[in-house]
Amino acid sequence: MNTPQLSEAWQSFIDKLTPIRPELFQYALKLTGNPFDAEDLVSDSLLKTFASLALQDNRAQDLKRYLLTIMSRTWIDELRRRQRWATQTMPELESPVEATDQTDLNEAAAIAIDTLNPHARAVLVLKDVFELTHAEIGAILGIEPNHAKVILHRARRELQQVPETRNPRVTRALVERFISAFQSHDLERMQAVLLEDIEAQVFPAGSGAGLAFHAKEGWLNGSWYHHIEWRERERSPYPLQLRIEDVAGEPVILVLRDPDEVGAWAVEEVWRLEASNGYIARIIDYGFAPDLIRWVADTCGLPCRTIGYRFPDAGYGHLDQRG
């Protein structure tokens, strides 16, 4: 399959899933307990599903059920990977209480080891949210129906929530410096807060690395001029309002569009930053994540505007009056 055909197939796949994406996000949110981890889990699962189906002669009969399977196993595998990592890096810890002289990250990981039960949480959500039978749950998670029934019983009686304690990926002070530099439209000031090999990710549009690339044609240029031809041609900065909000325990950036152009200040995108050695190392632009944008806007009591799960063919988007 050549590149145009692959792109067309991918966009068709994204469009086909539009009706069930809100359900997938809610499922992921209940599994992870964090809206950004939930959106990332959905995105990872979509990529895996697209690749898997492309290699199969027969497409999945029930795409929703197939995706639930991929999401459940992806999440469980990720938790197991984190637990293995934490066990290897903290062999001296016997309990979370003894982590007083360790970093906050290690302390949180130690707590997670003692409390996370991925199968129990997945079984509970699949049963109570999607109302699946024990046999259906067993098929998704790769366990016997009777085992799923036992896990469900124990989960309802003893399920412990994963603690929210976690180190923020970036400090609020660094986010403030980033916003100041961004809104000055000064590449030299941006250079002072971004790593030279800065990575920016916009699912499903793609990702790129390197400040030089992003300044010319990647995320940074696109965000400044927002893919509007006359602005890019005249190098006229795009009027965005950036606001810091604490969401799910970390400072994130809400991007609001100029009301003179679209009628009202409303959350259009959410940016999540990650730092390394005091610089911004990664930017995740949730511009095509309407479920996450609505969740964040509702949490912050703000209106939002969503444009769908990919670049629209025509028009701009839908304004959701919230707050």
Side-chain angles (χ1 to χ4, degrees):
M1 183 181 293
N2 58 38
T3 300
Q5 289 177 322
L6 183 62
S7 176
E8 183 178 347
W10 171 247
Q11 293 194 23
S12 176
F13 177 70
I14 293 294
D15 291 342
K16 184 176 182 179
L17 292 173
T18 295
I20 65 172
R21 283 288 288 274
E23 285 185 85
L24 298 178
F25 176 77
Q26 289 299 322
Y27 175 54
L29 182 60
K30 289 181 181 298
L31 283 181
T32 66
N34 179 283
F36 302 105
D37 292 343
E39 185 63 34
D40 291 346
L41 175 59
V42 173
S43 299
D44 290 346
S45 300
L46 291 180
L47 288 171
K48 289 182 178 181
T49 300
F50 181 72
S52 176
L53 294 179
L55 296 174
Q56 295 180 13
D57 294 332
N58 299 315
R59 303 188 70 82
Q61 296 296 318
D62 188 337
L63 190 54
K64 176 180 172 181
R65 188 67 49 82
Y66 190 83
L67 270 161
L68 290 177
T69 301
I70 296 293
M71 288 175 64
S72 300
R73 294 178 180 175
T74 297
W75 183 74
I76 289 172
D77 288 344
E78 172 63 15
L79 286 187
R80 287 173 173 166
R81 184 191 65 79
R82 293 180 188 178
Q83 291 173 355
R84 286 196 299 270
W85 172 84
T87 301
Q88 292 168 1
T89 57
M90 299 182 305
E92 73 280 7
L93 295 183
E94 295 181 0
S95 69
V97 178
E98 298 178 21
T100 54
D101 59 347
Q102 303 293 318
T103 64
D104 291 340
L105 176 61
N106 281 352
E107 183 179 33
I111 295 172
I113 290 172
D114 289 340
T115 60
L116 283 179
N117 188 334
H119 272 99
R121 201 161 184 173
V123 167
L124 189 68
V125 174
L126 289 170
K127 182 63 176 177
D128 291 350
V129 176
F130 290 93
E131 300 180 344
L132 302 184
T133 66
H134 295 123
E136 291 170 328
I137 294 171
I140 287 176
L141 299 180
I143 58 178
E144 293 295 325
N146 285 340
H147 190 193
K149 185 175 182 179
V150 171
I151 291 176
L152 177 65
H153 176 73
R154 291 175 179 171
R156 285 176 170 164
R157 186 183 60 189
E158 302 176 0
L159 182 63
Q160 301 179 59
Q161 297 296 325
V162 178
E164 294 299 325
T165 302
R166 63 172 67 195
N167 263 355
R169 295 167 179 255
V170 64
T171 65
R172 188 179 184 91
L174 186 55
V175 177
E176 290 173 349
R177 288 179 58 202
F178 170 86
I179 288 179
S180 176
F182 184 94
Q183 300 211 260
S184 73
H185 294 88
D186 186 331
L187 281 177
E188 290 186 3
R189 290 189 63 192
M190 292 300 294
Q191 178 78 47
V193 297
L194 299 179
L195 282 181
E196 186 65 32
D197 60 350
I198 176 72
E199 176 191 357
Q201 175 183 337
V202 187
F203 183 87
S207 63
L211 182 59
F213 165 76
H214 285 296
K216 291 182 179 180
E217 56 182 310
W219 175 88
L220 182 57
N221 180 74
S223 294
W224 279 5
Y225 305 107
H226 223 277
H227 304 291
I228 295 177
E229 290 185 4
W230 74 266
R231 287 197 180 280
E232 294 180 354
R233 183 174 59 252
E234 299 179 11
R235 308 302 287 177
S236 173
Y238 196 80
L240 298 176
Q241 182 186 98
L242 306 186
R243 180 186 304 186
I244 303 177
E245 292 286 347
D246 289 324
V247 178
E250 63 182 283
V252 300
I253 297 176
L254 308 189
V255 183
L256 298 92
R257 179 179 276 210
D258 189 340
D260 292 338
E261 299 218 358
V262 295
W265 285 113
V267 180
E268 178 185 87
E269 300 176 12
V270 178
W271 297 347
R272 190 186 199 190
L273 310 182
E274 296 180 11
S276 176
N277 297 321
Y279 293 90
I280 302 298
R282 187 173 184 230
I283 300 168
I284 306 176
D285 182 343
Y286 295 99
F288 300 104
D291 306 305
L292 172 68
I293 293 171
R294 293 189 191 102
W295 189 95
V296 171
D298 281 342
T299 299
C300 298
L302 296 170
C304 70
R305 181 180 295 101
T306 58
I307 61 176
Y309 300 101
R310 64 177 181 88
F311 281 114
D313 295 324
Y316 173 60
H318 174 68
L319 178 65
D320 295 330
Q321 293 292 347
R322 311 218 171 201

